[in-house]
Amino acid sequence: MKNRTWTVYLSGEIHSDWRDRIRDGVASADLPVELTGPVTDHATSDNCGVDILGEEPSDFWKDHKGAKLNAIRTRTLIANADVIVVRFGDKYRQWNAAFDAGFATALGKPLVTLHDPELTHALKEVDGAALATASTPQQVVRILGYVCRGTL
Amino acid sequence: MKNRTWTVYLSGEIHSDWRDRIRDGVASADLPVELTGPVTDHATSDNCGVDILGEEPSDFWKDHKGAKLNAIRTRTLIANADVIVVRFGDKYRQWNAAFDAGFATALGKPLVTLHDPELTHALKEVDGAALATASTPQQVVRILGYVCRGTL
Amino acid sequence: MKNRTWTVYLSGEIHSDWRDRIRDGVASADLPVELTGPVTDHATSDNCGVDILGEEPSDFWKDHKGAKLNAIRTRTLIANADVIVVRFGDKYRQWNAAFDAGFATALGKPLVTLHDPELTHALKEVDGAALATASTPQQVVRILGYVCRGTL
Amino acid sequence: MKNRTWTVYLSGEIHSDWRDRIRDGVASADLPVELTGPVTDHATSDNCGVDILGEEPSDFWKDHKGAKLNAIRTRTLIANADVIVVRFGDKYRQWNAAFDAGFATALGKPLVTLHDPELTHALKEVDGAALATASTPQQVVRILGYVCRGTL
Amino acid sequence: MKNRTWTVYLSGEIHSDWRDRIRDGVASADLPVELTGPVTDHATSDNCGVDILGEEPSDFWKDHKGAKLNAIRTRTLIANADVIVVRFGDKYRQWNAAFDAGFATALGKPLVTLHDPELTHALKEVDGAALATASTPQQVVRILGYVCRGTL
Amino acid sequence: MKNRTWTVYLSGEIHSDWRDRIRDGVASADLPVELTGPVTDHATSDNCGVDILGEEPSDFWKDHKGAKLNAIRTRTLIANADVIVVRFGDKYRQWNAAFDAGFATALGKPLVTLHDPELTHALKEVDGAALATASTPQQVVRILGYVCRGTL
Amino acid sequence: MKNRTWTVYLSGEIHSDWRDRIRDGVASADLPVELTGPVTDHATSDNCGVDILGEEPSDFWKDHKGAKLNAIRTRTLIANADVIVVRFGDKYRQWNAAFDAGFATALGKPLVTLHDPELTHALKEVDGAALATASTPQQVVRILGYVCRGTL
Amino acid sequence: MKNRTWTVYLSGEIHSDWRDRIRDGVASADLPVELTGPVTDHATSDNCGVDILGEEPSDFWKDHKGAKLNAIRTRTLIANADVIVVRFGDKYRQWNAAFDAGFATALGKPLVTLHDPELTHALKEVDGAALATASTPQQVVRILGYVCRGTL
């Protein structure tokens, strides 16, 4: 198994550094893991549709255009991932994160959730579909290390 | 097509009367529609796991047990539905609603979202996956009527 | 097999009476066939989106709303059909008919095309995916009769 | 994600230089994109069947042989693509382009359409299934750049 | 389980009375089994294509037309069957029977083969994919009875 | 939802009366549940292959014939069930029960396990795939009641 | 597309040199094609089961063991092929070839048949499922060349 | 086929050296086989959940956490394997091995079982789903050699 690379999609919160911490942890441990994810620059993600395809007078269609462009990327990368990690922070509604979790679950992809314990009740259905629920990025790194290498 | 019954799953918010209004509208219009949905009694839904399978000292596992019992029902009914309607209200996180929307999308089920216009930006990814976005239950009834009967 | 009902989706041209002629033929022969299809009233089909969900200033989004509402119906009925018949007439572009043919083919549904011989070259890819190419509605009725009953 | 190559299938019109312009744009931007597509030499595509497998007295079977040979290539490449771009021009019926769009949609592939605004109404069902509708090849290049790199 | 009807497709040889014997056995035992199958009138099956869709000067296309019309029926019924029984006789090549067996296997349908022991070696790959190999119609009836009722 | 019948497959142990207790509970509660399962008469299940298809000198092939005949029934009924309940008792190896659990899991069927708490460690992988783990048949009946009716 | 390698499975007849001729043609034309296929040494293929896993007193089980070992290889390679070529010769029953053709068809793999014209009627169902029917290995090489390179 | 690597997942017993013997045999024969499998250190496998994600007071949830972490690895590797070998020893219940066998069977993966003949009756359903049943690791190596190279 020394050549297998695991592809891990990091979905969810874009306002904290959790992706960087997982990336650093993966690099430090030299794990055979390729990390993918959505576009995490908020303005870019919001404006991509109108920027490329033309302005819209209504917010609904501006958002619609952008959301669909992003979906080209996110659905393809989720469908090609071995594992999906979904992070929920304490701000914003983050419905796209929960949407990704449901999408990945229906595809049969192993799901790992990452959130603070105070979100437990609100996230019970999402956690109920997950194979692991972590509260820190370091735990996610250890999960990936265990999954890839079989050691603790 | 006079004998075809459409099965429509109503996911999401459980604290307003939107399901009743859709049910009434469907009945008034005598549509060939069977409505299904999750358990909508909040306390029952929260406690089902521990009530049937035994108490848990930790909130996480109490929620886990309950969420999984509910998943037996919700995933089966979503997988057997022709159309999924997902309602987002203005309270609570409603991550399970977005999870259902993602789950249904990955199964290729037609998705209809129902929410107030002020949630447009927060729901752009979910709306981007939907075939219709309504703001009132009556619009959903009209959609179902149009889909079943082909008349406006 | 006396109880089996075959469900046949009739896609394509809405400006001639080919569906009626198939319906009459099926009724005359008393075939165990349930016919389904898109909404065939042109104005209704075009306006359904804005009529139910609100006006749009741009033609693109008006069409988009309508097309997606219609897709709730058409994709569900195609996915539930045993056989898809797609009719191409001599007017209009009828790209939705060809789209349906491709959609049905990828789902593994038996496809029957119906068109005049002068469209043969333009339709070669669609006919190449079909299990039969008819030039009259009566031939389609005979195909359905043969498929259901095994007699000529 | 630096090593991921996106495979993009370019379907549709073969009488303008849109494929070259996308190819040039992808090369200029040095995008990690592999472009595939049908055989675009008109005469070759029309004659392949009879040229390899023998003449046919009837046009129908000549076309049939050719269409099926082409389908070996097109269906395989579509099934192996990450994204499908379908171009509609202002000439010819281009039913094969719409067929490919329907085929790709049923496989769950992200679809991008490319056509002039005056075709909006005729293409509403196809656009309704697309995640983006562009009017210039340069927009398609920017979409691919955004999807691969996440920058505008 | 008293209401479950098992649908059993009987594929293969059309020149002996094995289907009648299974039908009689199923009727005698009053099994909840619906039997389906291809068109078994040889001339009808051979001529259906040209009879309905017009004569062909070449044998290849005459056969092609007929084979595809028959495929509308056979593939649909196989896809809708719970169990496939495939009979091989001692005459003719019966490649369609083996084709059906392979088709059903790839769909995950339980396969029962029926043939004389002297065909064992020639049919080893087909029998290798089967869940039972019978040598008489009466054994097939007993298999169906056991599967439906659980008694010998 | 008043007309929906849930189909529940009861897999596993055949030497205690757990199926009867579930059946009685379902009847008492008048649940819209149809129970299916394997052949539970031990001798019949063991001998079906050789009894119908002829004796075998070796135990391996005797078992093989029987196991495959049983698989016609079990795989079909599992594939047609909404929910799979798998019971593990304290005797015998019951590898077929665990096999059914894995088979159902890969099909995406909701799984409920039923066993005494002392088997927890030995069954951790199976329970890990289950949406509920019960220790008494009465709990299973309550689960089914909750799933069907939404009440405790 | 310069880096794409097409995988082509060569099924069927093992008593003539057709595979060598295709292999030579592919090599001469320097096509980006990887050819796979079953074990073509007749004695090895027949005896593999008993040679590795122990003798069997009955022919049926000897064949069964061998056929299943071969199926590990053949089903895996067919499932991983882009195109399936099935050759029928004039000797033997070759039911395994027709089985492979049906198996590949149900998986949605493009099928090419290769046989003399005198087998046309016997093979009509198999040819009816094929995207091309060739009568010489050289035609198959040209088909592969056209599919890979788009030139005649 | 010289470049194809076969991926073989080795499931089951972790208390004997059968994996090493297969690994040695594969290396000696220089087979193009990549072997994968679960974490085989018993303590690590049991404790991974609580070690990474925090202690649990109850055995059930400790096991649950661990089993699910292991499932991220095992289900992914099984889904990516060409062949699954499942070993049953004479100790412990090994329900996870039978679960993996059922899981792999439902995914359509070729299954090879490995166990002593005295387990034949207890494993009849699992062996009934297998394409080969071996009693020594050396036989498994020969099977893999035959499958990859086609020689005995």
Side-chain angles (χ1 to χ4, degrees):
Chain A
M1 280 184 49
K2 71 185 84 68
N3 296 320
R4 189 178 209 279
T5 296
W6 290 71
T7 302
V8 178
Y9 185 86
L10 304 179
S11 171
E13 195 198 20
I14 60 171
H15 298 96
S16 76
D17 67 348
W18 69 280
R19 281 188 185 80
D20 296 332
R21 291 174 64 193
I22 289 178
R23 199 173 311 268
D24 291 349
V26 161
S28 296
D30 196 23
L31 297 180
V33 166
E34 182 184 37
L35 298 171
T36 62
V39 174
T40 55
D41 181 80
H42 198 152
T44 301
S45 171
D46 273 6
N47 296 322
C48 63
V50 293
D51 188 88
I52 297 177
L53 297 169
E55 289 302 318
E56 290 295 330
S58 101
D59 284 350
F60 184 84
W61 296 117
K62 176 191 170 182
D63 280 338
H64 202 69
K65 269 184 167 174
K68 283 184 160 179
L69 268 200
N70 284 310
I72 298 177
R73 175 182 173 106
T74 58
R75 291 190 205 164
T76 303
L77 294 180
I78 291 174
N80 283 282
D82 294 309
V83 178
I84 315 297
V85 178
V86 187
R87 161 74 183 166
F88 293 87
D90 54 2
K91 289 186 198 144
Y92 307 102
R93 305 261 187 169
Q94 305 172 75
W95 281 319
N96 57 330
F99 181 89
D100 285 355
F103 191 84
T105 297
L107 296 181
K109 301 283 173 184
L111 177 69
V112 175
T113 51
L114 171 62
H115 60 80
D116 287 345
E118 53 264 42
L119 295 178
T120 287
H121 188 61
L123 281 166
K124 69 189 163 81
E125 289 86 1
V126 183
D127 287 344
L131 288 178
T133 294
S135 54
T136 69
Q138 188 53 33
Q139 286 178 321
V140 174
V141 174
R142 287 198 68 206
I143 289 170
L144 298 179
Y146 177 71
V147 164
C148 296
R149 298 216 166 120
T151 51
L152 291 174
Chain B
M1 280 186 50
K2 72 184 83 67
N3 296 318
R4 189 178 209 280
T5 297
W6 290 71
T7 303
V8 179
Y9 185 87
L10 304 178
S11 171
E13 194 198 22
I14 60 173
H15 297 98
S16 76
D17 67 348
W18 69 279
R19 281 189 185 81
D20 295 333
R21 291 174 63 194
I22 290 178
R23 200 174 310 270
D24 290 350
V26 161
S28 296
D30 197 23
L31 298 179
V33 166
E34 181 184 37
L35 299 170
T36 62
V39 173
T40 54
D41 182 80
H42 198 152
T44 300
S45 171
D46 273 5
N47 295 322
C48 63
V50 293
D51 188 87
I52 297 178
L53 296 171
E55 289 301 320
E56 289 296 330
S58 101
D59 282 350
F60 183 84
W61 296 118
K62 175 189 171 183
D63 279 337
H64 202 69
K65 268 183 167 176
K68 284 184 158 178
L69 267 200
N70 283 311
I72 298 176
R73 177 182 172 105
T74 58
R75 292 190 205 164
T76 302
L77 294 179
I78 290 174
N80 283 282
D82 293 308
V83 179
I84 315 296
V85 179
V86 186
R87 161 74 183 164
F88 293 87
D90 54 2
K91 288 185 198 145
Y92 306 102
R93 306 261 187 167
Q94 306 172 77
W95 281 319
N96 57 327
F99 181 90
D100 285 356
F103 190 85
T105 297
L107 296 181
K109 302 283 174 184
L111 177 70
V112 175
T113 51
L114 170 61
H115 60 81
D116 287 345
E118 52 264 42
L119 295 179
T120 286
H121 188 61
L123 282 167
K124 69 188 162 81
E125 289 88 359
V126 182
D127 286 345
L131 288 177
T133 293
S135 54
T136 68
Q138 189 52 34
Q139 286 177 322
V140 175
V141 173
R142 288 198 69 207
I143 289 170
L144 297 179
Y146 177 71
V147 165
C148 297
R149 297 213 167 122
T151 52
L152 291 174
Chain C
M1 280 184 51
K2 72 183 84 67
N3 295 320
R4 188 177 208 280
T5 297
W6 290 71
T7 302
V8 179
Y9 185 87
L10 304 178
S11 170
E13 195 199 20
I14 61 172
H15 298 97
S16 76
D17 67 348
W18 69 279
R19 281 189 185 79
D20 295 333
R21 291 175 63 194
I22 289 178
R23 199 174 310 270
D24 291 350
V26 161
S28 296
D30 196 24
L31 297 180
V33 166
E34 181 184 37
L35 298 170
T36 63
V39 173
T40 56
D41 182 80
H42 198 150
T44 300
S45 170
D46 273 4
N47 295 322
C48 63
V50 293
D51 188 88
I52 297 177
L53 296 170
E55 289 302 318
E56 289 295 329
S58 102
D59 282 350
F60 183 85
W61 296 117
K62 176 191 170 181
D63 280 337
H64 202 69
K65 268 184 170 175
K68 283 184 160 179
L69 267 200
N70 283 311
I72 298 176
R73 177 183 172 105
T74 58
R75 291 189 204 164
T76 302
L77 294 179
I78 290 174
N80 283 282
D82 293 309
V83 179
I84 315 296
V85 179
V86 186
R87 162 74 182 166
F88 293 87
D90 53 3
K91 288 185 200 147
Y92 306 100
R93 306 258 187 170
Q94 305 171 76
W95 281 318
N96 58 328
F99 181 89
D100 285 355
F103 190 85
T105 297
L107 296 181
K109 302 282 175 184
L111 177 69
V112 175
T113 51
L114 171 61
H115 60 81
D116 287 345
E118 52 265 43
L119 295 178
T120 287
H121 188 62
L123 282 167
K124 69 188 164 84
E125 289 87 0
V126 183
D127 286 345
L131 288 177
T133 293
S135 54
T136 67
Q138 189 53 34
Q139 285 178 323
V140 174
V141 173
R142 287 199 68 207
I143 289 170
L144 297 178
Y146 177 71
V147 163
C148 297
R149 296 212 168 123
T151 53
L152 292 174
Chain D
M1 277 185 51
K2 72 186 83 66
N3 295 319
R4 189 178 209 279
T5 298
W6 290 70
T7 302
V8 178
Y9 185 87
L10 304 178
S11 171
E13 195 198 21
I14 60 173
H15 298 98
S16 76
D17 66 349
W18 69 280
R19 281 189 185 81
D20 295 332
R21 291 174 62 193
I22 289 177
R23 200 174 309 270
D24 291 348
V26 161
S28 296
D30 196 24
L31 298 180
V33 166
E34 182 184 36
L35 299 170
T36 62
V39 174
T40 55
D41 181 80
H42 198 153
T44 300
S45 171
D46 273 6
N47 295 323
C48 63
V50 293
D51 188 86
I52 297 176
L53 297 170
E55 290 301 319
E56 289 295 329
S58 102
D59 283 350
F60 183 84
W61 296 118
K62 176 190 169 182
D63 280 336
H64 202 69
K65 269 185 168 174
K68 283 184 160 178
L69 268 199
N70 284 311
I72 298 177
R73 177 183 172 105
T74 57
R75 291 191 204 162
T76 303
L77 294 179
I78 291 173
N80 284 282
D82 293 310
V83 178
I84 315 295
V85 179
V86 187
R87 161 75 183 164
F88 293 87
D90 54 1
K91 289 184 198 147
Y92 307 101
R93 305 260 187 169
Q94 306 171 75
W95 282 319
N96 57 329
F99 181 90
D100 285 355
F103 191 86
T105 298
L107 295 182
K109 302 281 173 185
L111 177 69
V112 175
T113 52
L114 171 61
H115 60 82
D116 288 345
E118 52 265 42
L119 295 179
T120 287
H121 188 61
L123 282 166
K124 68 188 162 82
E125 289 87 0
V126 182
D127 286 344
L131 288 178
T133 293
S135 54
T136 69
Q138 189 53 33
Q139 287 178 321
V140 175
V141 173
R142 288 197 68 207
I143 289 170
L144 297 179
Y146 177 71
V147 163
C148 297
R149 297 216 168 121
T151 52
L152 291 174
Chain E
M1 282 185 48
K2 71 185 83 67
N3 295 320
R4 190 179 207 279
T5 297
W6 290 70
T7 302
V8 179
Y9 185 86
L10 304 178
S11 170
E13 195 198 20
I14 61 172
H15 298 97
S16 76
D17 67 347
W18 70 279
R19 280 188 186 80
D20 296 333
R21 291 174 63 193
I22 289 177
R23 201 172 309 269
D24 291 351
V26 161
S28 295
D30 196 24
L31 298 180
V33 167
E34 181 184 37
L35 299 170
T36 62
V39 173
T40 55
D41 182 81
H42 197 152
T44 300
S45 170
D46 273 5
N47 296 321
C48 63
V50 293
D51 188 87
I52 297 176
L53 297 171
E55 290 301 319
E56 289 296 329
S58 103
D59 283 351
F60 183 85
W61 297 118
K62 176 190 169 182
D63 280 336
H64 202 69
K65 269 184 167 174
K68 283 184 159 177
L69 267 200
N70 284 311
I72 298 176
R73 175 182 173 107
T74 58
R75 290 189 205 165
T76 303
L77 294 179
I78 290 174
N80 283 282
D82 294 309
V83 178
I84 315 297
V85 179
V86 186
R87 161 73 183 166
F88 293 87
D90 54 2
K91 290 185 198 145
Y92 307 100
R93 305 260 187 167
Q94 303 172 79
W95 281 319
N96 58 330
F99 181 90
D100 285 356
F103 191 85
T105 296
L107 296 181
K109 301 283 175 182
L111 178 68
V112 175
T113 51
L114 171 60
H115 61 80
D116 287 345
E118 51 265 43
L119 295 179
T120 286
H121 188 61
L123 282 167
K124 69 189 163 82
E125 289 87 0
V126 183
D127 287 345
L131 288 178
T133 294
S135 54
T136 69
Q138 189 54 33
Q139 286 178 322
V140 174
V141 173
R142 288 199 67 206
I143 289 170
L144 298 179
Y146 177 72
V147 164
C148 297
R149 297 212 167 124
T151 52
L152 292 174
Chain F
M1 279 187 51
K2 71 185 85 66
N3 295 320
R4 189 176 208 279
T5 297
W6 290 70
T7 303
V8 179
Y9 185 87
L10 304 178
S11 171
E13 194 198 21
I14 60 172
H15 298 98
S16 76
D17 68 346
W18 69 280
R19 281 188 185 80
D20 295 332
R21 290 175 63 193
I22 289 177
R23 199 173 310 269
D24 290 350
V26 161
S28 296
D30 196 24
L31 298 180
V33 166
E34 180 184 37
L35 298 170
T36 63
V39 173
T40 55
D41 182 81
H42 197 152
T44 299
S45 171
D46 273 5
N47 295 321
C48 63
V50 293
D51 188 87
I52 296 177
L53 296 171
E55 290 301 319
E56 289 297 329
S58 102
D59 283 351
F60 183 84
W61 296 117
K62 176 189 170 181
D63 280 337
H64 203 70
K65 270 184 166 175
K68 282 183 160 179
L69 268 200
N70 284 311
I72 298 176
R73 176 183 173 107
T74 58
R75 290 189 207 165
T76 303
L77 294 179
I78 290 174
N80 284 281
D82 294 308
V83 178
I84 315 295
V85 179
V86 186
R87 160 74 183 166
F88 292 88
D90 54 2
K91 290 186 196 144
Y92 307 101
R93 305 261 187 166
Q94 305 173 76
W95 280 319
N96 57 328
F99 181 91
D100 285 356
F103 191 86
T105 297
L107 296 180
K109 302 284 175 182
L111 177 69
V112 175
T113 51
L114 170 61
H115 61 81
D116 288 345
E118 51 264 43
L119 295 179
T120 286
H121 188 61
L123 281 167
K124 70 189 162 80
E125 288 87 0
V126 183
D127 286 345
L131 288 178
T133 294
S135 54
T136 68
Q138 189 53 33
Q139 285 177 322
V140 174
V141 173
R142 289 198 68 207
I143 289 170
L144 298 179
Y146 177 71
V147 164
C148 297
R149 297 212 167 122
T151 52
L152 292 174
Chain G
M1 277 183 52
K2 71 184 84 66
N3 296 319
R4 190 179 208 279
T5 297
W6 290 70
T7 302
V8 179
Y9 185 88
L10 304 178
S11 170
E13 195 198 21
I14 60 172
H15 297 98
S16 76
D17 67 348
W18 70 280
R19 280 189 185 81
D20 295 332
R21 292 173 63 191
I22 289 177
R23 199 173 310 269
D24 291 349
V26 161
S28 295
D30 197 25
L31 298 179
V33 167
E34 181 183 38
L35 299 170
T36 61
V39 174
T40 55
D41 181 80
H42 197 152
T44 299
S45 170
D46 273 6
N47 295 322
C48 63
V50 294
D51 188 86
I52 296 177
L53 297 171
E55 290 300 319
E56 289 295 329
S58 103
D59 283 351
F60 183 85
W61 297 117
K62 175 190 170 182
D63 280 337
H64 202 69
K65 270 184 167 174
K68 283 184 160 178
L69 268 200
N70 284 311
I72 297 176
R73 177 183 173 105
T74 58
R75 290 190 205 164
T76 302
L77 294 179
I78 290 174
N80 283 283
D82 293 309
V83 179
I84 315 295
V85 179
V86 187
R87 160 75 182 165
F88 293 87
D90 54 2
K91 290 185 197 144
Y92 306 101
R93 305 260 187 168
Q94 305 171 77
W95 281 320
N96 57 329
F99 181 90
D100 285 355
F103 191 86
T105 298
L107 296 181
K109 302 281 173 184
L111 177 69
V112 175
T113 51
L114 171 61
H115 60 81
D116 288 345
E118 52 264 42
L119 295 179
T120 287
H121 188 62
L123 282 167
K124 69 188 162 82
E125 288 88 359
V126 182
D127 286 344
L131 288 178
T133 294
S135 54
T136 69
Q138 189 52 33
Q139 287 178 321
V140 175
V141 173
R142 289 198 68 207
I143 290 171
L144 297 179
Y146 177 72
V147 164
C148 297
R149 297 213 168 124
T151 53
L152 292 174
Chain H
M1 280 184 49
K2 72 184 85 67
N3 296 319
R4 187 178 210 280
T5 297
W6 290 70
T7 302
V8 178
Y9 184 87
L10 304 179
S11 170
E13 196 197 20
I14 60 172
H15 298 96
S16 76
D17 68 348
W18 70 280
R19 280 188 186 81
D20 296 331
R21 291 173 65 191
I22 289 177
R23 199 173 311 269
D24 291 349
V26 161
S28 295
D30 196 24
L31 297 179
V33 166
E34 182 184 36
L35 299 170
T36 61
V39 174
T40 55
D41 181 81
H42 198 150
T44 300
S45 170
D46 273 5
N47 295 322
C48 63
V50 293
D51 188 87
I52 297 176
L53 296 170
E55 290 301 319
E56 289 294 330
S58 102
D59 283 350
F60 183 83
W61 296 117
K62 176 191 169 181
D63 279 338
H64 202 69
K65 270 185 167 174
K68 283 184 159 179
L69 268 200
N70 283 310
I72 297 176
R73 176 183 174 105
T74 58
R75 290 190 204 164
T76 302
L77 294 179
I78 290 174
N80 284 282
D82 293 309
V83 179
I84 315 296
V85 178
V86 186
R87 161 75 183 165
F88 293 88
D90 53 2
K91 289 186 198 146
Y92 306 101
R93 305 261 187 168
Q94 305 172 75
W95 280 320
N96 57 330
F99 181 89
D100 285 355
F103 191 85
T105 296
L107 296 181
K109 302 282 174 185
L111 177 69
V112 175
T113 51
L114 171 61
H115 60 80
D116 287 345
E118 52 264 42
L119 295 179
T120 287
H121 188 60
L123 282 167
K124 69 190 164 81
E125 288 87 0
V126 182
D127 287 344
L131 287 178
T133 294
S135 54
T136 69
Q138 190 52 35
Q139 286 178 323
V140 174
V141 173
R142 289 197 68 205
I143 289 170
L144 298 178
Y146 178 71
V147 164
C148 297
R149 298 213 167 123
T151 52
L152 292 174

